[in-house]
Coordinates of all heavy atoms in Angstrom, one line a residue:
R12 N -62.4 -8.5 27.3 CA -61.3 -8.8 26.4 C -61.8 -8.6 24.9 O -62.8 -9.3 24.5 CB -60.8 -10.2 26.6 CG -59.5 -10.5 25.8 CD -59.0 -11.9 26.0 NE -59.9 -12.9 25.3 CZ -59.5 -14.2 25.1 NH1 -58.2 -14.6 25.4 NH2 -60.3 -15.0 24.4
L13 N -61.2 -7.7 24.2 CA -61.5 -7.5 22.8 C -60.6 -8.4 22.0 O -59.5 -8.7 22.3 CB -61.2 -6.1 22.5 CG -62.0 -5.0 23.3 CD1 -61.7 -3.7 22.7 CD2 -63.4 -5.3 23.4
S14 N -61.1 -8.9 20.9 CA -60.4 -9.7 19.9 C -60.4 -9.0 18.5 O -61.4 -8.4 18.1 CB -61.0 -11.1 19.8 OG -61.0 -11.8 21.0
C15 N -59.3 -9.2 17.8 CA -59.2 -8.7 16.4 C -58.7 -9.8 15.6 O -57.5 -10.2 15.7 CB -58.3 -7.5 16.4 SG -58.1 -6.9 14.7
A16 N -59.5 -10.5 14.8 CA -59.1 -11.6 14.0 C -58.6 -11.1 12.6 O -59.4 -10.3 11.9 CB -60.2 -12.6 13.8
A17 N -57.4 -11.4 12.2 CA -56.9 -11.0 10.9 C -56.9 -12.1 9.9 O -56.7 -13.3 10.2 CB -55.4 -10.5 11.1
S18 N -57.2 -11.7 8.7 CA -57.2 -12.7 7.6 C -56.6 -12.0 6.3 O -56.4 -10.8 6.3 CB -58.6 -13.2 7.3 OG -59.5 -12.2 6.9
G19 N -56.4 -12.9 5.3 CA -55.7 -12.3 4.1 C -54.3 -12.5 4.2 O -53.7 -13.5 4.7
R20 N -53.5 -11.5 3.8 CA -52.1 -11.5 3.7 C -51.5 -11.1 5.1 O -50.8 -10.1 5.3 CB -51.5 -10.6 2.6 CG -52.0 -11.0 1.2 CD -51.4 -10.1 0.2 NE -49.9 -10.3 0.1 CZ -49.1 -9.6 -0.7 NH1 -49.6 -8.7 -1.5 NH2 -47.9 -9.8 -0.7
T21 N -51.7 -11.9 6.1 CA -51.3 -11.6 7.4 C -49.8 -11.6 7.6 O -49.3 -11.0 8.6 CB -51.9 -12.6 8.5 OG1 -51.6 -13.9 8.1 CG2 -53.5 -12.4 8.5
S22 N -49.1 -12.3 6.7 CA -47.6 -12.4 6.8 C -47.1 -11.0 6.5 O -45.9 -10.7 6.8 CB -47.1 -13.4 5.9 OG -47.4 -13.1 4.5
S23 N -47.8 -10.1 5.9 CA -47.3 -8.7 5.6 C -47.5 -7.8 6.8 O -47.0 -6.6 6.7 CB -48.1 -8.2 4.4 OG -47.9 -9.0 3.3
I24 N -48.1 -8.2 7.9 CA -48.3 -7.3 9.0 C -47.1 -7.1 9.8 O -46.3 -8.0 10.1 CB -49.4 -7.9 9.9 CG1 -50.8 -8.0 9.2 CG2 -49.6 -7.0 11.2 CD1 -51.8 -8.7 9.9
Y25 N -46.8 -5.8 10.1 CA -45.7 -5.4 10.9 C -46.0 -5.1 12.3 O -45.4 -5.6 13.3 CB -45.0 -4.2 10.2 CG -43.8 -3.7 11.0 CD1 -42.7 -4.6 11.4 CD2 -43.7 -2.3 11.4 CE1 -41.6 -4.1 12.0 CE2 -42.5 -1.9 12.0 CZ -41.5 -2.8 12.4 OH -40.4 -2.3 13.0
T26 N -47.1 -4.3 12.5 CA -47.6 -4.1 13.9 C -49.1 -4.2 13.9 O -49.7 -4.0 12.9 CB -47.2 -2.7 14.3 OG1 -47.7 -1.7 13.5 CG2 -45.7 -2.5 14.4
M27 N -49.6 -4.5 15.0 CA -51.1 -4.4 15.3 C -51.3 -3.5 16.5 O -50.6 -3.5 17.4 CB -51.6 -5.8 15.6 CG -51.5 -6.8 14.5 SD -52.7 -6.6 13.2 CE -54.2 -7.2 14.1
G28 N -52.4 -2.8 16.4 CA -52.7 -1.8 17.4 C -54.2 -1.6 17.6 O -55.0 -2.0 16.8
W29 N -54.5 -1.0 18.7 CA -55.8 -0.7 19.1 C -56.0 0.9 19.3 O -55.1 1.5 19.9 CB -56.3 -1.3 20.4 CG -56.5 -2.8 20.3 CD1 -55.5 -3.8 20.5 CD2 -57.7 -3.4 19.9 NE1 -56.1 -5.0 20.3 CE2 -57.4 -4.8 19.9 CE3 -59.0 -3.0 19.5 CZ2 -58.4 -5.8 19.6 CZ3 -59.9 -3.9 19.2 CH2 -59.6 -5.3 19.2
F30 N -57.1 1.4 18.7 CA -57.4 2.8 18.9 C -58.8 2.9 19.4 O -59.6 1.9 19.3 CB -57.3 3.6 17.6 CG -55.9 3.8 17.1 CD1 -55.1 2.7 16.6 CD2 -55.3 5.0 17.1 CE1 -53.8 2.8 16.1 CE2 -54.0 5.2 16.7 CZ -53.3 4.1 16.1
R31 N -59.2 4.0 19.9 CA -60.6 4.2 20.3 C -61.1 5.6 20.0 O -60.3 6.5 20.0 CB -60.8 3.9 21.8 CG -60.0 4.9 22.7 CD -60.1 4.3 24.2 NE -59.5 5.3 25.1 CZ -59.3 5.0 26.4 NH1 -59.7 3.9 26.9 NH2 -58.7 5.9 27.2
R32 N -62.4 5.7 19.9 CA -63.1 7.0 19.6 C -64.2 7.1 20.6 O -65.2 6.4 20.5 CB -63.5 7.2 18.2 CG -64.1 8.6 17.9 CD -64.7 8.7 16.5 NE -63.8 8.4 15.5 CZ -63.0 9.4 15.0 NH1 -63.1 10.6 15.4 NH2 -62.2 9.1 13.9
A33 N -64.1 8.1 21.6 CA -65.1 8.4 22.5 C -66.1 9.4 21.9 O -65.8 10.0 21.0 CB -64.5 8.9 23.8
P34 N -67.3 9.4 22.4 CA -68.3 10.3 21.8 C -67.8 11.8 21.8 O -67.4 12.3 22.9 CB -69.5 10.2 22.8 CG -69.4 8.8 23.3 CD -67.9 8.6 23.5
G35 N -67.9 12.4 20.7 CA -67.5 13.8 20.5 C -66.0 14.0 20.5 O -65.6 15.2 20.6
Q36 N -65.2 12.9 20.5 CA -63.7 13.1 20.6 C -63.1 12.5 19.3 O -63.7 11.7 18.5 CB -63.2 12.3 21.8 CG -63.8 12.8 23.1 CD -63.4 14.2 23.4 OE1 -62.2 14.6 23.2 NE2 -64.3 14.9 24.0
E37 N -61.9 12.9 19.1 CA -61.1 12.3 18.0 C -60.6 10.9 18.4 O -60.5 10.6 19.6 CB -59.9 13.2 17.7 CG -60.2 14.6 17.2 CD -60.8 14.5 15.8 OE1 -60.4 13.7 15.0 OE2 -61.7 15.4 15.5
R38 N -60.3 10.2 17.4 CA -59.8 8.8 17.6 C -58.4 8.9 18.3 O -57.6 9.7 17.9 CB -59.7 8.0 16.3 CG -59.2 6.6 16.5 CD -59.6 5.8 15.3 NE -59.1 6.4 14.0 CZ -59.4 6.0 12.8 NH1 -60.3 5.0 12.7 NH2 -58.9 6.6 11.7
E39 N -58.1 8.1 19.3 CA -56.9 8.2 20.0 C -56.2 6.8 20.1 O -56.9 5.8 20.1 CB -57.0 8.7 21.4 CG -57.9 7.9 22.3 CD -58.0 8.4 23.8 OE1 -57.2 9.3 24.1 OE2 -58.8 7.9 24.5
F40 N -54.9 6.8 20.2 CA -54.1 5.6 20.3 C -54.4 4.9 21.7 O -54.4 5.6 22.7 CB -52.7 5.9 20.1 CG -51.7 4.8 20.5 CD1 -51.6 3.7 19.6 CD2 -51.0 4.8 21.7 CE1 -50.7 2.6 19.9 CE2 -50.2 3.7 22.0 CZ -50.0 2.6 21.1
V41 N -54.4 3.6 21.8 CA -54.6 2.9 23.0 C -53.4 2.0 23.2 O -52.7 2.1 24.3 CB -55.9 2.0 23.0 CG1 -56.0 1.2 24.2 CG2 -57.1 2.9 22.8
A42 N -53.1 1.1 22.3 CA -52.0 0.1 22.5 C -51.5 -0.4 21.2 O -52.3 -0.5 20.2 CB -52.4 -1.0 23.4
A43 N -50.3 -0.9 21.1 CA -49.8 -1.6 19.9 C -48.7 -2.5 20.2 O -48.0 -2.4 21.3 CB -49.3 -0.5 18.9
R44 N -48.4 -3.5 19.3 CA -47.3 -4.4 19.5 C -46.8 -4.9 18.1 O -47.6 -4.8 17.1 CB -47.8 -5.6 20.3 CG -48.7 -6.6 19.7 CD -48.7 -7.9 20.5 NE -47.5 -8.6 20.3 CZ -46.9 -9.5 21.2 NH1 -47.6 -9.7 22.4 NH2 -45.8 -10.1 21.0
R45 N -45.6 -5.4 18.1 CA -45.1 -6.0 16.9 C -45.8 -7.3 16.7 O -46.0 -8.1 17.6 CB -43.6 -6.2 17.0 CG -42.7 -5.0 17.1 CD -42.6 -4.3 15.7 NE -41.5 -3.3 15.8 CZ -41.8 -2.1 16.0 NH1 -43.0 -1.7 16.2 NH2 -40.8 -1.2 16.1
W46 N -46.2 -7.6 15.4 CA -46.9 -8.8 15.1 C -46.0 -10.0 15.2 O -46.4 -11.0 15.7 CB -47.3 -8.8 13.6 CG -48.1 -9.9 13.1 CD1 -47.7 -10.8 12.2 CD2 -49.4 -10.3 13.6 NE1 -48.7 -11.8 12.0 CE2 -49.8 -11.5 12.9 CE3 -50.3 -9.8 14.5 CZ2 -50.9 -12.1 13.0 CZ3 -51.5 -10.5 14.7 CH2 -51.8 -11.6 14.0
G47 N -44.6 -9.8 14.9 CA -43.7 -10.9 15.0 C -42.7 -10.7 16.1 O -41.7 -11.4 16.0
G48 N -42.9 -9.8 17.0 CA -42.0 -9.5 18.1 C -42.7 -9.4 19.4 O -43.9 -9.9 19.5
T49 N -42.1 -8.8 20.3 CA -42.6 -8.6 21.7 C -42.7 -7.2 22.2 O -43.2 -6.9 23.2 CB -41.7 -9.4 22.7 OG1 -40.4 -8.9 22.7 CG2 -41.8 -10.9 22.4
I50 N -42.3 -6.2 21.4 CA -42.3 -4.9 21.7 C -43.8 -4.4 21.8 O -44.5 -4.6 20.8 CB -41.5 -4.0 20.7 CG1 -40.0 -4.4 20.8 CG2 -41.6 -2.5 21.1 CD1 -39.2 -3.7 19.7
T51 N -44.1 -3.7 22.9 CA -45.4 -3.2 23.1 C -45.4 -1.7 23.5 O -44.3 -1.3 24.1 CB -46.2 -4.0 24.1 OG1 -45.6 -3.9 25.4 CG2 -46.4 -5.4 23.7
T52 N -46.4 -1.0 23.3 CA -46.5 0.4 23.8 C -47.9 0.7 24.1 O -48.9 0.1 23.5 CB -46.0 1.4 22.7 OG1 -45.9 2.7 23.3 CG2 -46.8 1.3 21.5
Y53 N -48.1 1.5 25.1 CA -49.5 1.8 25.6 C -49.6 3.3 25.9 O -48.7 4.0 26.2 CB -49.7 1.1 27.0 CG -49.7 -0.4 26.9 CD1 -48.5 -1.1 27.1 CD2 -50.8 -1.1 26.7 CE1 -48.5 -2.4 27.1 CE2 -50.8 -2.5 26.6 CZ -49.7 -3.1 26.8 OH -49.6 -4.5 26.8
A54 N -50.8 3.8 25.7 CA -51.1 5.1 26.1 C -51.0 5.3 27.6 O -51.4 4.3 28.3 CB -52.6 5.5 25.6
D55 N -50.7 6.5 28.1 CA -50.5 6.6 29.5 C -51.8 6.4 30.3 O -51.8 5.9 31.4 CB -50.1 8.0 29.8 CG -48.6 8.3 29.4 OD1 -47.9 7.3 29.3 OD2 -48.2 9.5 29.3
S56 N -53.0 6.6 29.6 CA -54.2 6.5 30.3 C -54.6 5.0 30.6 O -55.5 4.8 31.4 CB -55.3 7.2 29.4 OG -55.4 6.6 28.2
V57 N -54.0 4.1 29.9 CA -54.3 2.7 30.1 C -53.2 1.8 30.6 O -53.4 0.6 30.9 CB -54.8 2.1 28.8 CG1 -56.0 2.9 28.2 CG2 -53.7 1.9 27.7
K58 N -52.1 2.4 30.9 CA -50.9 1.6 31.4 C -51.2 1.0 32.7 O -51.8 1.7 33.6 CB -49.7 2.5 31.5 CG -49.0 2.8 30.2 CD -47.8 3.7 30.4 CE -47.0 4.0 29.1 NZ -45.9 4.9 29.3

């Protein structure tokens, strides 16, 4: 389980997401969700 702790002007956040970069690869999208909602989306590789 990975954690991402946010500080500062967190009320300004609209969405939070995770990306990853494998060795020798470009950074790719993993997952995201609305900070103040329930909508989520995932890369097909991790669904």
Side-chain angles (χ1 to χ4, degrees):
R12 188 180 73 164
L13 306 183
S14 299
C15 176
S18 60
R20 300 183 64 182
T21 57
S22 62
S23 297
I24 297 174
Y25 180 51
T26 60
M27 294 283 287
W29 289 93
F30 290 72
R31 66 187 182 186
R32 185 187 296 275
Q36 303 295 320
E37 295 292 324
R38 184 162 55 192
E39 66 176 347
F40 170 78
V41 176
R44 69 164 292 151
R45 295 282 191 270
W46 183 247
T49 59
I50 299 174
T51 61
T52 185
Y53 298 89
D55 288 341
S56 60
V57 306
K58 285 182 179 178

